[in-house]
Amino acid sequence: MRTKLLLCLFVIGWFVPAMTMQGQPLMRTHVETGDVEGVPDGTDLAVYKAIPYAAPPVGELRWKEPQPAKAWTGTLKCDKFAPWPPQPWRRPTPRPEMSEDILYLAIATPAKSVGDRLPVMVWIHGGGFQTEHYGGDLWTSLARRGVVVVSIEYRTGALGFLAHPDLAKESKGGHTGNYGLLDQIYALQWVQRNISNFGGDPNCVTIFGESAGAISCSILCGSPLAKGLFHRVISQSGGSFAPWQDGGRTVVVNASQHGAEQQGVAFQKHLGKKSIKQMRKMDALALAGDDVGFAGFWPCVDGYVITDDLYRNYERGDYNDVPAIVMTNSDEGAMFTGPMPPEAFQQAARQTFGSMADEALTLYPATNEEEAYFSNGDMFRDVAFAWPSFAWVSLQAKTGKSPAYAAFLAQPSTVSLVGDKKRRGVSHADDVLYLNYTFLGQPDKYPAEAAVAEIMQQYWVNFAKNGNPNGKGLPYWPTFDPEKPTTMQFSNGASLIMVPNREKIDFVDRFFRHLREETEKGH
């Protein structure tokens, strides 16, 4: 009996540590360039804050396609985020560390072993292709629902999107600009090769992003270079479906590579430099930081990363056809509007809409300053966010094999990233408050917002797992049909509505059709 008891105790003593180890998050693992060690987030997540996925894009690698990261010896401790990309700093908080050496990604994983094969969600941050940082949020609330979350950094501003004739000559294919998008694609390739070592499934990858990150997601859906690198997409306020012209970018028209190159030449003259060689020797902050006095760098139609007007790609069925959730907010424009005389708004509307301006001013009236304030915001919402999102789901519903789901965030709340600024709904970027822990962490203070956050996060994770947001305990969400109530509105719960602001969306749709016809005459 004593022998059996000792044997039993030995077996228990041998198994308990093993069981405990199996219950711990994956704190150490290996990537293609070496061993890495994360830090715990609570007791259930391992977080790796800065893993290099490409070589630093400095010196001669400035304005070049990303190159492989160098291997290291020993174990890389990933306990601190990499610096911010060089960018203007307009916040009241102290400027963070900035560097051109920013091609890193972060991972939050709940996996207990490399064999867990969990769904993967890859976050692409916003910031108008000029600002922000991959470490803004690791979406640990999503990770705790059983997904591996990756957040990637990419080059922004002039460092990420400068196009120039001399840079085109350096390229084998004659391409220039879109370096930030090439970074995103390179990071997704890295995920395919390495994410299984974090317990992730490379065959179940969802890309998701907000604002410029959402625009990036739409571009990746249209890019042949990204084919097979992801299997679902979630867009939060963004899509690149405007036509392009063989000239500079405007508020409503994208630029060809030629047009972007002319902007690059103008930037070189602005800096007083004689060559790209001289520009490569400049400090990064002198190119993309404060007081540069030159802005507006943006993705261009280069025939390589971006092959054409994405609207035309979708009409032809020429895109990466994956399940999509496309969401906009009810008052996106609140972040971008401000006090203005009615006459100023009317003049701007006439410059933008030309022969269709009278109809625009009927839908977006400005007979006094308050009307001008809100009409300016609504117009920005519809042109920049609501219409591209409508175009995306409408086109995919017609030409795609994969389902498309439309969403509209309209939850009333006193909390907004625009602070006390006047608004009549959910501002641009406020959706991030529902996907992180802002409201879920304060359910007593914000019960309605917390309830919506819980619903949204369940939908998002269901979608990442299955390509379908529906699941037990959630209102049924059908695929998009523009003529039926299939847009899921998040407001004091979740319920289906018709396309919101439809009359305005239809007007903007007609405007872009007209604009597309006009711009294509010049191609």
Side-chain angles (χ1 to χ4, degrees):
M1 175 66 76
R2 185 183 178 199
T3 301
K4 289 183 178 179
L5 179 61
L6 287 173
L7 180 60
C8 184
L9 288 172
F10 174 78
V11 171
I12 292 173
W14 188 78
F15 270 106
V16 166
M19 290 168 62
T20 302
M21 288 177 64
Q22 289 175 356
Q24 297 297 317
L26 197 62
M27 297 303 303
R28 293 172 66 97
T29 190
H30 183 80
V31 298
E32 60 194 11
T33 41
D35 295 331
V36 289
E37 181 179 343
V39 293
D41 188 290
T43 60
D44 55 346
L45 289 183
V47 171
Y48 298 79
K49 294 186 176 182
I51 303 175
Y53 70 83
V58 300
E60 288 302 309
L61 293 185
R62 180 183 285 176
W63 299 313
K64 295 283 182 103
E65 292 197 28
Q67 300 298 311
K70 291 183 178 180
W72 56 82
T73 57
T75 300
L76 180 66
K77 293 186 177 181
C78 305
D79 55 352
K80 294 181 180 178
F81 289 111
W84 288 55
Q87 60 189 263
W89 194 252
R90 301 288 184 259
R91 305 182 187 186
T93 53
R95 174 195 295 273
E97 179 187 359
M98 294 183 183
S99 170
E100 196 171 2
D101 178 7
I102 48 90
L103 297 186
Y104 296 83
L105 52 79
I107 297 175
T109 178
K112 305 302 188 291
S113 75
V114 296
D116 283 4
R117 304 287 287 185
L118 299 176
V120 180
M121 298 184 72
V122 180
W123 172 252
I124 306 174
H125 71 75
F129 297 107
Q130 313 293 321
T131 62
E132 297 307 324
H133 184 233
Y134 81 110
D137 202 296
L138 281 185
W139 312 107
T140 53
S141 186
L142 294 177
R144 287 190 165 90
R145 296 173 189 268
V147 296
V148 178
V149 179
V150 183
S151 181
I152 64 176
E153 190 55 273
Y154 58 98
R155 284 172 281 183
T156 55
L159 296 168
F161 294 95
L162 174 76
H164 193 282
D166 292 344
L167 291 174
K169 292 175 183 177
E170 292 181 3
S171 167
K172 290 182 181 179
H175 309 296
T176 178
N178 294 338
Y179 304 104
L181 294 172
L182 289 167
D183 293 340
Q184 295 172 13
I185 293 167
Y186 206 77
L188 289 171
Q189 292 170 337
W190 186 98
V191 167
Q192 284 296 305
R193 298 191 302 270
N194 293 277
I195 203 62
S196 60
N197 287 339
F198 297 85
D201 183 354
N203 296 313
C204 188
V205 175
T206 299
I207 57 173
F208 71 127
E210 183 269 338
S211 193
I215 293 171
S216 295
C217 285
S218 72
I219 291 171
L220 293 171
C221 282
S223 178
L225 301 184
K227 183 176 178 61
L229 298 181
F230 59 93
H231 312 93
R232 335 189 190 303
V233 59
I234 301 174
S235 165
Q236 297 166 214
S237 305
S240 183
F241 288 85
W244 61 274
Q245 63 184 3
D246 200 21
R249 178 179 176 269
T250 71
V251 176
V252 291
V253 180
N254 290 320
S256 67
Q257 178 176 304
H258 175 74
E261 286 177 359
Q262 299 314 301
Q263 183 196 32
V265 171
F267 184 51
Q268 176 187 331
K269 292 179 180 178
H270 172 77
L271 297 172
K273 301 300 178 183
K274 296 181 179 179
S275 65
I276 287 292
K277 183 178 180 180
Q278 288 186 354
M279 292 172 69
R280 279 201 171 106
K281 293 180 179 179
M282 292 179 63
D283 181 79
L285 282 170
L287 292 164
D290 292 327
D291 305 320
V292 174
F294 197 105
F297 297 99
W298 198 265
C300 65
V301 179
D302 61 350
Y304 179 49
V305 181
I306 303 175
T307 58
D308 194 3
D309 173 355
L310 192 56
Y311 193 99
R312 293 300 192 204
N313 282 34
Y314 267 70
E315 281 189 322
R316 295 191 297 266
D318 180 18
Y319 58 97
N320 300 314
D321 188 352
V322 298
I325 289 177
V326 182
M327 183 176 75
T328 56
N329 302 340
S330 59
D331 197 7
E332 300 266 15
M335 179 175 284
F336 306 96
T337 192
M340 64 178 62
E343 298 78 15
F345 172 75
Q346 293 167 13
Q347 182 179 2
R350 294 193 180 283
Q351 289 176 345
T352 299
F353 292 102
S355 61
M356 299 178 69
D358 286 343
E359 187 176 358
L361 290 169
T362 299
L363 292 168
Y364 304 97
T367 58
N368 54 58
E369 286 198 8
E370 183 172 0
E371 270 193 344
Y373 177 93
F374 286 114
S375 285
N376 186 53
D378 289 350
M379 185 179 288
F380 199 97
R381 174 198 64 201
D382 297 337
V383 170
F385 303 111
W387 176 79
S389 299
F390 174 78
W392 188 342
V393 290
S394 297
L395 287 165
Q396 184 155 330
K398 290 178 181 177
T399 64
K401 296 179 181 179
S402 301
Y405 301 88
F408 185 67
L409 179 57
Q411 175 61 43
S413 180
T414 58
V415 181
S416 173
L417 293 178
V418 298
D420 295 331
K421 195 174 182 182
K422 286 193 300 183
R423 58 187 174 87
R424 296 184 295 192
V426 181
S427 173
H428 186 67
D430 282 354
D431 46 292
V432 302
L433 304 174
Y434 293 85
L435 290 178
N436 61 23
Y437 204 58
T438 299
F439 293 132
L440 282 180
Q442 306 175 81
D444 294 338
K445 189 174 182 180
Y446 304 108
E449 293 94 328
V452 166
E454 176 67 26
I455 292 169
M456 286 178 61
Q457 292 193 25
Q458 287 185 47
Y459 275 133
W460 263 228
V461 171
N462 288 347
F463 182 77
K465 291 178 178 179
N466 307 308
N468 185 327
N470 291 295
K472 186 177 180 180
L474 293 171
Y476 178 69
W477 188 352
T479 56
F480 180 72
D481 183 332
E483 304 308 323
K484 295 180 180 179
T486 54
T487 297
M488 186 61 78
Q489 176 174 261
F490 299 115
S491 179
N492 295 316
S495 59
L496 294 174
I497 61 171
M498 298 295 291
V499 173
N501 306 306
R502 183 62 185 266
E503 185 180 11
K504 294 176 179 177
I505 297 300
D506 284 346
F507 164 73
V508 177
D509 189 57
R510 292 197 308 276
F511 166 70
F512 273 111
R513 288 179 186 275
H514 169 73
L515 191 62
R516 181 165 284 105
E517 292 172 359
E518 292 299 309
T519 56
E520 288 179 351
K521 292 177 182 177
H523 289 180

